[in-house]
Amino acid sequence: MKALVTGFDPFGGDTVNPALEALARLKPALGPLTIVTRAIPTVFGRALDVLAQALDETRPDLVLAVGQAGGRAALSLERVAINIDDARIADNDGNRPIDQPVVAGGPAAYFASLPIKAAVQALRNAGLPAIVSNTAGTFVCNHLFYGLMHQAALRGGMRAGFLHIPYLPQQALRDPGAPSMAIEHIVQGIEIILAIAASRGDDLLLPEGALS
């Protein structure tokens, strides 16, 4: 079995992205699961082109896309990707789409197909803060997540999802009070998610909803 893990390059004036840093530290295998990684540009459109090429080259069984979510304190497994680009800031090529579909004529939304609740439980059991998130935003993270799930629907036989991760401690220094997480814990969390996804196809029936 093979897993593809993707991570974005730095954006928004940052010189580091914890997603890309985590990719460099992942093991090449977890038991029978082979792990391959790809860097993704934080650019609307081009991110999906690079993703499609990576899928063609690696032909993975599992895909976990990883992106930075400054301000979040927990590893956040996303439940749903929506078919909208609405950028509050420009991407790394200066693009700033507003109210544009990710895929013209595509479904309004896709749900992740990884066992996200089982993974969240395993992360918490390992002492890592983790949640099921119901919004991946409307920037390039959601753009990639939606494009990934659209590819999964078209190709078949591939399960996929998206993980948002906190700032690294050095990033949080510029914003006193902002939550952060050590890179070692982020890498540990990614490996736990991959192990759970490789070991089961179903999910747990647990309450992980939000009141607002």
Side-chain angles (χ1 to χ4, degrees), residues 152-166:
L154 293 176
R155 293 168 184 252
M158 183 179 78
R159 293 183 293 135
F162 194 98
L163 173 69
H164 264 127
I165 58 178

Side-chain angles (χ1 to χ4, degrees), residues 36-90:
V36 294
T37 62
R38 289 291 188 277
I40 301 291
T42 307
V43 177
F44 288 101
R46 192 150 61 90
L48 300 188
D49 294 338
V50 173
L51 172 66
Q53 182 178 356
L55 294 175
D56 288 340
E57 290 174 352
T58 63
R59 300 188 180 277
D61 304 287
L62 306 172
V63 185
L64 181 65
V66 184
Q68 168 188 300
R72 295 198 194 186
L75 298 169
S76 304
L77 273 162
E78 299 296 345
R79 190 197 301 259
V80 60
I82 59 174
N83 193 13
I84 194 74
D85 291 331
D86 193 3
R88 183 175 56 82
I89 63 173

Side-chain angles (χ1 to χ4, degrees), residues 69-74 166-181:
R72 295 198 194 186
Y167 280 144
L168 295 174
Q170 62 263 39
Q171 292 176 287
L173 287 175
R174 71 181 181 202
D175 185 9
S180 65
M181 184 175 288

Side-chain angles (χ1 to χ4, degrees), residues 101-123:
V102 180
V103 177
Y110 284 109
F111 288 106
S113 52
L114 300 181
I116 58 174
K117 292 185 176 182
V120 163
Q121 184 182 70
L123 291 167

